[in-house]
Amino acid sequence: MKLTLSRLENLLLTACDDLRGSMDASEYKEYIFGMLFLKRASDLFDQRQAELRKQFQAQGMAEEDIAEALDDPDNYSGKFFYVPPRARWNQGWQEEVIENGEKKVIQHPALKHVKENVGTTLNKALEAIEDANPDALQDVLKGINFNKKIGQRTLDDDTLADFVLNFEKIPLKDSDFEFPDLLGAAYEYLIKYFADSAGKKAGEFYTPAEVVRVCVEICDPEEGMSVYDPTVGSGGMLIQMRDYLREKGGSSDELSLNGQESIGTTWSICKMNMLLHGISHADIRQQDTLKEPLHLDGNNELKRFDRVVANPPFSQNYSRKELKFPGRFPVLMPEKGKKADLMFVQHMLAVLKHDGRLASVMPHGVLFRGGEEREARKHFIDHGLLEAIIGLPSNLFYGTGIPACIMVMNKQGAAQRDHVLFINADREYREGKAQNHLRPEDIDKIIYAYRNKQDIPAYARLVPKAEIVAEDYNCNIRRYVDNAPPPEPHDVRAHLHGGVPKAEVENLAQFWLNYPQLKDDLFVPRDNDYLDFAPVIATDKRAIADLVSSHQSVIKCHASFMETLEQWWQQNLPIVEALAPDAANQEGRTRNVYVMRSSLLASIERALASQTLLTPFQVRGAFANYVDNLKADFKSIAASGWGPELIPDEDILQSQFPEILEQQAQAQARLAELQALFVAADEEDFEDTDDTGVMTSEQVKDLKAKLKDAKGQAKLCKKDPNLGDARAHEQRATEIEVQLQRHKALEDEAKQLKATIKGIETQREALVQSAREKITNDQARVIIIKRLQSLLMNSYQTYLKAYQRNCIAAIENLWSKYAVTAKTIEDERDQATAQLKAFLVELGYE
């Protein structure tokens, strides 16, 4: 059965488990990447050898000649690297050595069987592959050291051997994959995983995908263009440029990808990223870009590019010493002021073609600080180079919580440009635990504003150059686009005498438009200017949510939306079904996921154009997010058809083995309860109020000491009764043992639960595998299509529920302001005062 993306991700995470306890994620990520590349190269080598053997045998070559040809490096090119014997995963090898003047042959095992000196063996294997393929792999693999000291020790042979065995479970030939680019997608997943694990350290190699998407859509690459990232990190921006071009229906074969990175390990990760994505032509260099840009043309001058996209490191110092190509910088920034940001922008402009465009992430400070940064802004604006500034929400990036922006420079039409577009998108995002995120609709709205160059109140404005000059080139976004929410209105008369101002109710007109009759059931007339809350909610704020959620107009409106969506799905299902290969007519269908996405996105926008529940940005964003989340599934369908491997394990278990899931859930819940109890027990001032028997670590230690002492005293007293009553000590020992046994019973239960959960996991895999083998492709097709439809419906249901919650919150806000009048509060105060006075009189204080 072919490997799906989710299965590959799980296998790679299992490989990470062996290292997670020994070192930090930022330290072992290169081990995972190196081993993945090593196994992939060896599996492809085996694949190529099998193809060549078949070809040579068909040509009638002798076996001896075939063996020689199979080991000829010239027969391996492109994605097929020549793998020397010592780096082959499945083949042992012989080595001739001289000992005591005699030639001796040593037999070495295949990599997957190595048990001794594992770190050294892996290092030499990577070095051998690099030496055998210098054009593509020079300096890429040798920097990975499996013998590197972590603290005071290195990884032992057993840990590394287990690590190797985990990769033995991962088949990495092309024929093993559900779709061709599966390995590249898994590599991106790993980079994101390590970025999340590394936290602040991740900023040097990873930019959040949604920010990259904004930059890529702004750059809008075309076929045949050259793209450059001067601070390339792990290469995500360049890869998204390629994928976006494919998404538009263009061919990425002639898209030139170029990048430079200063940190060696990050550069190595980027090189492997490109190769595992099947991008062998990317030109990725290693050096400090400000100090020495390495992309030069035939005249040894700076090479020019059509598009430049980057997220340079924020607020770095630089050195003017040995600064090559100083003509790149019309305005030099202070060397020691941590203000190299606009140096990067000037470099990007210097390497941009006469009609090129760039998008670069920048810290907000570059927009308003004085000195040389003001002079740089003046240069950009006076020459018409600055096209747009996009303000982003805070806490989007790893390593910094400060808000950032995207500066867009465009040389095309610069001479005539007399406006700068300011987009203030810093209030529109989704909150996360560690970081905030741009939602699909947020991205769509930014791109819409950029492409249409139209004023959008409190969001986007085309600002004349003269206005910016009048502000002394200060580009602080809120000077030009203030998106602060309007002050909350308060009606004094309503506060004093009751009622809800009609004007404030009418401000919620969008809800009344979508939910007819709801307003009439929430409010009743009072006079010309005020309404009262309906009796059902007048005294109970909690009743508002129940009334809105169960209101017929709300239910009917949402049902109508979902019915339209259902009809759209049925009408467009043939386009999804056409993804799968047609065995009878291989050339008759498009089978292009990117074309499908583009076609359906335009179609669903038209189908939902008349509704007013969701904005056009939300309609497009929700669908784009739906396809992007299922991209691996759609690619698998296009490459391999309706295979049962695309049915998630959870779906199979839920439909056929619900009792297994229930048993697992119960065990996990009880284990979580026990673990929380143990953690709580070690906190200060813990009291076992529920008499669970749990004790702190110190209590257990103390009781064990007392138990030992009691048993010792009992023993002594038995020998010499004059020393005391042995039975009293024995009774004390018994009481302590009971306490310790109660605590140990909880520990034993936790251990048993862990074993149970592990056993269920093993059982789950066997049951799922067995059930999946019985599912035919036709049955799988029905299940998969039903799942695709369900996920689409759920995606839009989430937006409808959010709209409904917004409606409830707006009504509750009115209730909080006006349901209780000032007179009511005064009356309650007077009543409480009188009651207190009566109590005081009764107690004799007055």
Side-chain angles (χ1 to χ4, degrees):
M1 192 168 286
K2 292 193 174 185
L3 200 60
T4 62
L5 180 58
S6 60
R7 177 63 179 155
L8 179 54
E9 289 171 354
N10 288 335
L11 289 170
L12 290 170
L13 286 184
T14 300
C16 292
D17 288 341
D18 283 329
L19 303 180
R20 190 175 290 117
S22 304
M23 64 183 86
D24 186 74
S26 62
E27 296 171 312
Y28 69 70
K29 69 176 183 292
E30 60 190 81
Y31 292 0
I32 296 286
F33 292 142
M35 187 65 79
L36 181 63
F37 191 87
L38 179 60
K39 178 66 161 58
R40 168 66 169 168
S42 189
D43 280 7
L44 278 181
F45 180 80
D46 292 346
Q47 176 184 322
R48 179 64 175 158
Q49 276 202 326
E51 293 170 357
L52 289 171
R53 178 178 292 280
K54 187 175 180 181
Q55 175 188 327
F56 295 149
Q57 286 175 340
Q59 294 171 356
M61 285 177 62
E63 190 58 38
E64 187 176 319
D65 294 334
I66 289 176
E68 184 177 343
L70 291 179
D71 211 34
D72 182 355
D74 290 340
N75 282 319
Y76 303 86
S77 60
K79 68 180 178 182
F80 296 105
F81 294 104
Y82 175 73
V83 179
R86 74 181 315 141
R88 294 175 190 173
W89 194 267
N90 298 306
Q91 301 173 26
W93 60 288
Q94 294 180 340
E95 181 181 25
E96 289 187 357
V97 297
I98 304 295
E99 285 188 9
N100 300 323
E102 293 185 7
K103 186 181 292 185
K104 185 179 178 182
V105 177
I106 299 176
Q107 182 67 37
H108 293 279
L111 273 184
K112 65 181 179 182
H113 295 312
V114 172
K115 303 297 179 187
E116 298 177 352
N117 299 319
V118 184
T120 300
T121 303
L122 292 173
N123 288 347
K124 289 183 176 179
L126 290 172
E127 184 178 338
I129 293 181
E130 183 177 308
D131 288 341
N133 303 274
D135 291 344
L137 298 177
Q138 186 69 44
D139 298 325
V140 173
L141 303 175
K142 288 181 181 177
I144 299 171
N145 179 11
F146 285 94
N147 288 328
K148 184 170 63 177
K149 270 195 173 185
I150 310 298
Q152 297 299 312
R153 65 186 182 87
T154 58
L155 292 177
D156 58 65
D157 279 343
D158 288 343
T159 299
L160 285 174
D162 288 343
F163 182 55
V164 171
L165 283 177
N166 275 326
F167 277 87
E168 168 60 15
K169 301 171 187 174
I170 307 177
L172 296 175
K173 295 186 179 72
D174 285 347
S175 57
D176 297 317
F177 299 156
E178 265 292 305
F179 60 89
D181 200 25
L182 180 135
L183 189 58
Y187 195 88
E188 288 179 36
Y189 170 82
L190 275 180
I191 292 174
K192 173 71 165 62
Y193 169 78
F194 287 123
D196 289 338
S197 303
K200 289 187 175 182
K201 296 178 183 177
E204 69 186 32
F205 68 88
Y206 187 78
T207 303
E210 56 265 31
V211 177
V212 178
R213 179 72 185 194
V214 173
C215 293
V216 166
E217 289 215 36
I218 285 170
C219 284
D220 194 19
E222 302 287 347
E223 290 181 352
M225 282 187 171
S226 56
V227 177
Y228 172 63
D229 184 345
T231 54
V232 74
S234 55
M237 283 190 161
L238 293 182
I239 291 169
Q240 277 215 38
M241 291 286 264
R242 179 200 71 162
D243 290 348
Y244 176 70
L245 180 55
R246 287 179 172 181
E247 195 177 298
K248 293 198 303 178
S251 170
S252 61
D253 294 343
E254 299 303 320
L255 186 68
S256 170
L257 301 179
N258 309 267
Q260 187 163 324
E261 172 57 44
S262 62
I263 301 172
T265 53
T266 305
W267 171 83
S268 175
I269 289 170
C270 179
K271 288 281 286 185
M272 286 188 278
N273 195 8
M274 294 295 163
L275 293 169
L276 292 176
H277 270 88
I279 305 172
S280 58
H281 63 277
D283 185 359
I284 311 296
R285 310 290 182 92
Q286 186 193 349
Q287 181 54 273
D288 183 325
T289 302
L290 291 184
K291 178 181 177 182
E292 185 177 1
L294 296 178
H295 290 82
L296 307 177
D297 61 21
N299 297 321
N300 219 29
E301 296 292 331
L302 290 174
K303 192 174 181 180
R304 302 295 199 271
F305 302 96
D306 296 290
R307 296 287 185 268
V308 181
V309 60
N311 177 19
F314 287 2
S315 306
Q316 285 203 342
N317 289 323
Y318 78 101
S319 173
R320 295 185 192 179
K321 188 179 179 182
E322 299 178 358
L323 197 68
K324 296 191 176 179
F325 300 100
R328 293 176 285 164
F329 310 109
V331 183
L332 288 166
M333 297 296 117
E335 287 183 82
K336 304 298 182 183
K338 290 190 175 181
K339 294 179 180 177
D341 307 288
L342 293 183
M343 295 290 285
F344 281 108
V345 175
Q346 291 180 85
H347 164 73
M348 291 181 234
L349 277 168
V351 299
L352 197 63
K353 288 183 179 178
H354 71 281
D355 58 351
R357 188 186 315 152
L358 75 84
S360 178
V361 179
M362 285 279 122
H364 258 189
V366 304
L367 301 179
F368 53 79
R369 288 192 294 247
E372 288 85 349
E373 286 180 310
R374 175 203 175 275
E375 293 305 309
R377 293 194 301 273
K378 181 178 186 300
H379 173 79
F380 301 151
I381 293 167
D382 287 350
H383 289 82
L385 296 168
L386 181 60
E387 183 182 27
I389 295 173
I390 301 164
L392 299 175
S394 60
N395 204 31
L396 286 181
F397 298 87
Y398 296 91
T400 178
I402 65 171
C405 67
I406 296 174
M407 295 187 78
V408 183
M409 305 280 179
N410 194 344
K411 285 188 175 179
Q412 188 169 41
Q416 293 77 40
R417 185 169 292 117
D418 58 359
H419 289 75
V420 175
L421 177 67
F422 283 80
I423 300 174
N424 195 348
D426 66 1
R427 289 187 178 274
E428 302 188 7
Y429 60 92
R430 172 176 62 83
E431 288 187 2
K433 289 183 180 178
Q435 287 175 259
N436 294 328
H437 304 275
L438 290 175
R439 299 165 299 182
E441 61 265 33
D442 302 329
I443 296 171
D444 191 78
K445 189 172 180 180
I446 290 170
I447 301 306
Y448 174 86
Y450 170 74
R451 289 180 180 164
N452 287 277
K453 304 285 193 303
Q454 294 175 350
D455 288 357
I456 301 175
Y459 188 79
R461 181 174 164 234
L462 208 54
V463 179
K465 186 189 295 186
E467 186 175 338
I468 303 172
V469 173
E471 293 285 350
D472 197 28
Y473 296 95
N474 186 319
C475 292
N476 193 330
I477 299 172
R478 290 200 174 173
R479 284 186 176 229
Y480 307 101
V481 183
D482 186 1
N483 63 352
E488 181 70 34
H490 283 274
D491 188 296
V492 176
R493 179 182 164 188
H495 281 308
L496 292 173
H497 304 294
V500 184
K502 279 187 177 180
E504 291 190 38
V505 174
E506 291 309 317
N507 285 341
L508 308 181
Q510 185 195 21
F511 297 123
W512 316 140
L513 172 68
N514 287 314
Y515 302 148
Q517 295 302 313
L518 178 61
K519 182 175 73 170
D520 293 341
D521 291 338
L522 286 166
F523 304 98
V524 294
R526 181 185 180 102
D527 56 37
N528 289 336
D529 298 315
Y530 293 89
L531 302 168
D532 278 324
F533 289 105
V536 69
I537 64 170
T539 59
D540 186 3
K541 180 180 177 181
R542 292 171 299 180
I544 295 172
D546 291 337
L547 190 153
V548 173
S549 300
S550 61
H551 199 274
Q552 282 303 307
S553 67
V554 175
I555 295 170
K556 184 178 179 181
C557 180
H558 289 195
S560 175
F561 181 98
M562 297 306 295
E563 184 180 345
T564 302
L565 188 61
E566 165 79 22
Q567 291 171 354
W568 175 86
W569 171 260
Q570 296 301 334
Q571 290 167 1
N572 289 273
L573 181 57
I575 297 175
V576 178
E577 291 178 315
L579 282 176
D582 182 358
N585 181 16
Q586 287 290 323
E587 302 303 320
R589 299 192 180 191
T590 307
R591 301 201 300 275
N592 186 313
V593 175
Y594 297 104
V595 171
M596 179 205 75
R597 181 188 188 277
S598 178
S599 171
L600 293 183
L601 185 57
S603 172
I604 199 168
E605 184 179 7
R606 291 192 299 270
L608 297 174
S610 60
Q611 61 78 41
T612 52
L613 283 165
L614 305 187
T615 68
F617 308 117
Q618 290 174 319
V619 169
R620 290 191 298 266
F623 187 77
N625 193 48
Y626 163 77
V627 176
D628 290 346
N629 287 338
L630 289 168
K631 186 160 53 177
D633 294 69
F634 287 126
K635 285 184 175 181
S636 295
I637 294 167
S640 308
W642 306 100
E645 59 273 9
L646 288 180
I647 304 171
D649 293 0
E650 293 297 315
D651 288 8
I652 291 177
L653 287 165
Q654 193 65 59
S655 63
Q656 300 193 38
F657 310 105
E659 69 283 356
I660 296 292
L661 289 177
E662 179 62 26
Q663 183 184 357
Q664 185 181 36
Q666 289 177 356
Q668 287 172 333
R670 177 56 180 162
L671 179 60
E673 185 182 325
L674 289 175
Q675 289 172 333
L677 192 61
F678 292 137
V679 170
D682 277 328
E683 293 178 354
E684 289 186 22
D685 304 324
F686 171 74
E687 291 184 19
D688 188 15
T689 53
D690 294 330
D691 192 29
T692 62
V694 72
M695 293 184 288
T696 68
S697 304
E698 287 299 318
Q699 284 176 320
V700 172
K701 186 178 178 182
D702 183 52
L703 281 179
K704 284 182 177 178
K706 287 180 179 178
L707 177 62
K708 185 178 179 181
D709 180 64
K711 286 183 174 179
Q713 290 294 330
K715 197 172 181 181
L716 290 173
C717 291
K718 281 182 178 179
K719 289 181 179 180
D720 185 356
N722 293 325
L723 294 175
D725 186 356
R727 285 179 298 177
H729 289 297
E730 286 175 344
Q731 185 177 352
R732 175 63 181 147
T734 301
E735 291 172 356
I736 293 173
E737 282 178 334
V738 169
Q739 282 183 274
L740 289 171
Q741 284 170 359
R742 288 187 70 197
H743 179 82
K744 188 174 184 302
L746 294 174
E747 292 183 324
D748 290 343
E749 184 184 0
K751 288 179 183 176
Q752 182 57 48
L753 285 167
K754 288 179 182 177
T756 299
I757 291 168
K758 190 171 183 180
I760 291 173
E761 285 291 343
T762 304
Q763 184 185 8
R764 276 175 52 134
E765 288 187 18
L767 288 171
V768 167
Q769 182 65 21
S770 172
R772 188 172 270 126
E773 288 172 357
K774 297 174 185 175
I775 300 173
T776 67
N777 281 6
D778 286 340
Q779 290 171 330
R781 174 186 166 281
V782 173
I783 296 169
I784 293 167
I785 287 177
K786 185 177 180 181
R787 173 174 175 261
L788 294 177
Q789 179 181 357
S790 174
L791 290 172
L792 178 70
M793 300 298 160
N794 290 341
S795 175
Y796 282 94
Q797 279 280 19
T798 301
Y799 282 90
L800 296 185
K801 288 176 182 176
Y803 184 86
Q804 181 178 307
R805 285 196 302 271
N806 290 340
C807 176
I808 292 168
I811 298 163
E812 288 179 339
N813 182 50
L814 291 176
W815 194 99
S816 298
K817 287 197 293 184
Y818 301 122
V820 181
T821 66
K823 187 175 187 313
T824 302
I825 296 172
E826 288 175 355
D827 290 344
E828 290 175 351
R829 180 200 63 192
D830 294 343
Q831 185 179 354
T833 302
Q835 190 175 18
L836 177 61
K837 188 174 181 179
F839 287 149
L840 291 172
V841 169
E842 187 177 337
L843 292 170
Y845 287 103
E846 287 191 16

